[in-house]
Amino acid sequence: MSSIIEIQGVSKSYGGVVANKDISLSVETGGITGLIGPNGSGKTTLFNSIVGYHPIDEGSIKFENEEISRFPVQKIARRGLLRTFQQTRIYGAMNCVENMLISLPHRKMKFLDSFSLNNKSDYEKANRLLEFVGLYEKRLLKAASLSFGQQKLLEFAMALMNEPAALLLDEPTAGINPTLINGLIDRLVRANREFGITLFIIEHNMRVIMNMADKIYCLAHGEMLAQGSPDDIQNDPRVIEAYLGAH
Amino acid sequence: MKNNKSILYGILLAFILIAPFAFPDFRTQLATLWLMIIVAMTWDMTGGQMGYNSLGNIVFYGTGMYVAAIITIALAYDVGGYTNAFGGGVYKFTDQQYFLGMFLGLIGAGLFCAASAVIIGYVTFGLRGPYFAIGTLGVAIAAGELVSNWEWVGGGQGIALPVYPGDLDNGKLLFYFLFAFTGVVLFIFLKWLYATRFGAAINAIRDDEEKAEAMGIHTLRYKLTTWAMSAFFIGIVGGISAFQLIHFEPLETAYQTINLGIFMVVCVLLGGKGTLWGPIIGAILFHVFKEVTWNYFLGWQWVALGALIVVTVVYFQDGVMGYLAHRKPEWFGVRVDENKAEVSQ
Ligand SMILES: Nc1ncnc2c1ncn2[C@@H]1O[C@H](COP(=O)(O)OP(=O)(O)OP(=O)(O)O)[C@@H](O)[C@H]1O
Ligand SMILES: [Mg+2]
């Protein structure tokens, strides 16, 4: 199996705080990979490094065999590597459909294409994906009026609209009503299987990530603590220790 | 609904065409009103629609004046000699030289300013929020100083262009229609642009630029293009103003940072940022307010103007259009084309 994201020896500090230290991992093409770890263990920092949000201090990050660690955010996004934010970011003043249309993949567009109106198939695609995440009924409402969980779903749908090759999700189920979580898991898995999007997911909810991921990495204090299949991770005494120790 | 709109636009257009004949004494006033409307609409392209509040857009107005004037002069004479002999009577322009100069000058002014915006923007768009505002203001002030020390273009004296050849009233009519034509073209252009993907992308930059970057939008390219299009129109009206005013000088007329440079921002705030009609309504209100205070409260006009700015900024930030959108949301309807949104049903 080939890997779509390949990280070698990545370190990142904020002033004195070492948020990531010598991290190496790989995300398999077409799979679902999990990233867990206690609060403050450096998960979001690693995502930010991958998508070019900040420069890394050391190491190498490859996406589809291309070194991207010095690319700016937009360029990486246009390569087809996308992320959602832990603090959900949607366009509150626009309605759901408009949020979706904004998210059309610019990597597949020429600049001159932006001087045209959205066509029928753009609207159809937006509606189809809103339907997919269960927001079709709300599509003409301003995004700001949606509940927190619905905003997360919208952000997920916007990412799908962009047709990424790989999608980094930062705690997709956080703050979502527990009764809706199973539905969300189902959609994540379908996005992976049906749309062929590689997923790399930070998740605090063990039940969720153990059910979905093929492979899990666990960070603690900025370092790689353990890696393996969900079963390995679940039974790894160091992981149990890290979680118990953190609480 | 669609019919009502067409009728409304028809009435407006008729009014625009008839106004200078119906109010012949106010031709210059009306031309100035158009100028205000145009600079307000162009300011809103970046300030309202894209969230980049420039305080230096006047730089394109001033530069447009100079470029149009220099092109016109250069077609007939040596520019250095012409500006040196300031007011000297030996320089005559034929009708053909005048009108050809005007035509090429206006187009040249627009293109030159658009190119300048790309270059200036390349540097200033690295700045955010107040830093962008102050950075662009700095550019405008510096440009005025540079030009006023540049003898070849007349230095602090400025440039005197030839007077309109022919009846002066017809000249006023010509300038009115040049402004009006530019304004109508700009309005139609923006109405279309704001409906395209381009319009949505610059709104996204305004609302959350980081998210837009994370979605892969070419943010810098959009910002430069928007400012260049805005500068193109400002450059053209700067050029028209140069011919209308005949004589202009760098600091008070061309690069007038605290007058027109600030007025355009006030117009937009008054009418409502980020809307198609806001800048137009704001410019009309502002122009009326300014004329009334300048004519009836002379001596206090700047105080009144300052008070207007304070009241707008403190109590009325979203302007007339913002107030209406808040009070009467149904007038603005749902922003998505319902028919298209329904297609998948
Ligand atoms: N912008 C920043 N400036 C300074 N320190 C930061 C910054 N962002 C994160 N940190 C620090 O880096 C460390 C790792 O933070 P990070 O957000 O990556 O953790 P996380 O694993 O995502 O945590 P959580 O589960 O709470 O989201 C923490 O100690 C945090 O305080
Ligand atoms: Mg985090």
Side-chain angles (χ1 to χ4, degrees):
Chain A
M1 265 276 173
S2 66
S3 55
I4 191 163
I5 300 171
E6 189 70 58
I7 298 174
Q8 279 295 332
V10 165
S11 298
K12 171 72 191 176
S13 309
Y14 297 107
V17 182
V18 182
N20 283 157
K21 191 173 170 203
D22 195 20
I23 304 287
S24 299
L25 60 78
S26 64
V27 175
E28 240 172 51
T29 311
I32 300 182
T33 304
L35 181 62
I36 63 170
N39 288 117
S41 56
K43 304 180 298 295
T44 299
T45 302
L46 186 63
F47 269 22
N48 283 337
S49 299
I50 297 172
V51 299
Y53 187 73
H54 53 213
I56 55 175
D57 302 336
E58 267 179 274
S60 144
I61 300 171
K62 286 196 173 131
F63 177 67
E64 294 181 327
N65 294 320
E66 181 183 24
E67 182 67 37
I68 56 165
S69 56
R70 296 191 179 282
F71 285 7
V73 171
Q74 300 108 305
K75 192 164 171 186
I76 294 174
R78 284 196 296 273
R79 287 285 195 279
L81 174 55
L82 231 66
R83 67 95 61 92
T84 62
F85 291 87
Q86 186 169 356
Q87 309 295 335
T88 308
R89 289 170 96 154
I90 41 95
Y91 291 104
M94 302 183 192
N95 69 30
C96 296
V97 174
E98 289 167 325
N99 268 280
M100 296 298 283
L101 294 171
I102 287 275
S103 313
L104 280 166
H106 278 241
R107 99 191 107 109
K108 295 185 176 168
M109 258 193 238
K110 290 197 199 66
F111 189 57
L112 282 182
D113 291 341
S114 65
F115 290 97
S116 58
L117 306 180
N118 289 299
N119 55 41
K120 206 173 151 184
S121 73
D122 298 333
Y123 281 91
E124 278 169 355
K125 187 176 163 200
N127 285 330
R128 203 170 54 236
L129 288 169
L130 286 170
E131 175 91 68
F132 176 73
V133 298
L135 286 177
Y136 184 76
E137 306 302 320
K138 312 254 177 200
R139 69 196 186 286
L140 296 179
L141 296 183
K142 288 234 161 82
S145 69
L146 300 179
S147 72
F148 178 80
Q150 289 166 340
Q151 294 187 359
K152 283 209 112 139
L153 289 169
L154 176 61
E155 193 184 27
F156 176 52
M158 288 164 74
L160 296 180
M161 186 82 176
N162 207 288
E163 298 172 29
L167 177 57
L168 275 48
L169 297 153
D170 199 341
E171 302 198 17
T173 66
I176 292 207
N177 185 332
T179 58
L180 299 176
I181 287 188
N182 284 338
L184 180 60
I185 296 177
D186 174 57
R187 282 171 191 127
L188 290 171
V189 172
R190 281 177 59 199
N192 173 250
R193 304 242 168 91
E194 291 169 24
F195 307 152
I197 302 172
T198 302
L199 298 181
F200 188 22
I201 305 176
I202 294 179
E203 188 50 72
H204 265 304
N205 187 327
M206 286 299 155
R207 182 178 68 81
V208 171
I209 197 71
M210 295 297 160
N211 271 319
M212 281 193 299
D214 327 308
K215 174 149 194 190
I216 293 176
Y217 290 90
C218 178
L219 294 182
H221 304 295
E223 295 184 60
M224 189 64 74
L225 182 71
Q227 51 180 292
S229 69
D231 277 340
D232 296 343
I233 290 290
Q234 226 160 353
N235 300 313
D236 190 316
R238 292 168 303 171
V239 175
I240 296 165
E241 163 90 8
Y243 269 87
L244 291 178
H247 287 123
Chain B
M1 189 67 195
K2 200 160 175 127
N3 252 332
N4 281 346
K5 269 196 171 167
S6 313
I7 293 170
L8 189 72
Y9 282 127
I11 292 173
L12 267 176
L13 196 62
F15 180 77
I16 291 167
L17 294 173
I18 294 166
F21 300 102
F23 311 103
D25 297 341
F26 291 92
R27 278 174 192 171
T28 304
Q29 283 284 359
L30 290 167
T32 309
L33 176 58
W34 272 112
L35 170 66
M36 299 302 297
I37 290 174
I38 293 165
V39 291
M41 278 200 282
T42 54
W43 189 86
D44 193 57
M45 292 170 72
T46 52
Q49 298 284 346
M50 201 170 74
Y52 275 79
N53 301 310
S54 162
L55 290 180
N57 276 9
I58 195 72
V59 76
F60 304 121
Y61 180 74
T63 304
M65 280 190 160
Y66 274 93
V67 171
I70 290 167
I71 288 176
T72 305
I73 296 164
L75 283 176
Y77 298 104
D78 169 61
V79 177
Y82 180 91
T83 51
N84 251 333
F86 190 81
V90 281
Y91 295 97
K92 292 270 177 277
F93 287 76
T94 64
D95 285 7
Q96 198 210 351
Q97 283 169 333
Y98 182 86
F99 288 110
L100 185 66
M102 181 184 281
F103 178 72
L104 295 177
L106 295 184
I107 291 175
L111 294 176
F112 187 90
C113 288
S116 311
V118 171
I119 294 165
I120 302 170
Y122 207 83
V123 180
T124 51
F125 277 128
L127 306 170
R128 297 283 148 89
Y131 299 99
F132 179 77
I134 298 301
T136 48
L137 179 63
V139 169
I141 293 173
E145 286 301 326
L146 280 176
V147 169
S148 65
N149 284 300
W150 188 8
E151 289 308 322
W152 187 69
V153 296
Q157 296 259 25
I159 295 179
L161 276 174
V163 180
Y164 175 80
D167 179 49
L168 276 189
D169 271 336
N170 285 339
K172 285 181 180 171
L173 215 50
L174 172 72
F175 292 118
Y176 171 87
F177 279 113
L178 280 174
F179 279 120
F181 177 74
T182 312
V184 170
V185 170
L186 176 61
F187 178 84
I188 294 169
F189 174 70
L190 292 183
K191 191 168 162 52
W192 165 78
L193 183 73
Y194 293 157
T196 63
R197 293 168 176 167
F198 189 99
I202 62 174
N203 289 165
I205 290 172
R206 172 192 64 201
D207 293 348
D208 186 346
E209 186 165 353
E210 240 173 39
K211 174 73 180 176
E213 287 175 352
M215 302 296 298
I217 294 179
H218 299 77
T219 45
L220 182 63
R221 213 184 275 180
Y222 279 95
K223 291 190 278 186
L224 293 177
T225 310
T226 306
W227 213 24
M229 293 187 296
S230 162
F232 177 78
F233 284 97
I234 312 174
I236 289 178
V237 289
I240 301 172
S241 290
F243 285 97
Q244 183 198 27
L245 297 172
I246 302 162
H247 167 232
F248 59 92
E249 51 91 70
L251 297 177
E252 300 284 314
T253 329
Y255 297 92
Q256 42 168 318
T257 24
I258 59 155
N259 287 333
L260 192 58
I262 297 299
F263 293 169
M264 60 175 94
V265 186
V266 180
C267 290
V268 174
L269 295 183
L270 204 57
K273 271 174 114 172
T275 59
L276 186 61
W277 281 98
I280 300 171
I281 293 168
I284 295 170
L285 290 177
F286 179 86
H287 191 62
V288 170
F289 180 87
K290 185 168 164 286
E291 287 311 308
V292 169
T293 49
W294 254 249
N295 286 324
Y296 299 104
F297 299 98
L298 205 65
W300 289 90
Q301 77 272 36
W302 286 101
V303 178
L305 189 65
L308 176 73
I309 294 175
V310 171
V311 169
T312 308
V313 171
V314 176
Y315 296 105
F316 212 51
Q317 269 177 12
D318 297 329
V320 175
M321 291 298 279
Y323 177 82
L324 289 178
H326 183 68
R327 277 318 197 55
K328 301 260 174 211
E330 67 276 12
W331 287 7
F332 294 82
V334 208
R335 274 160 58 197
V336 159
D337 186 340
E338 289 273 359
N339 297 326
K340 282 184 183 160
E342 299 297 341
V343 285
S344 82
Q345 281 185 333

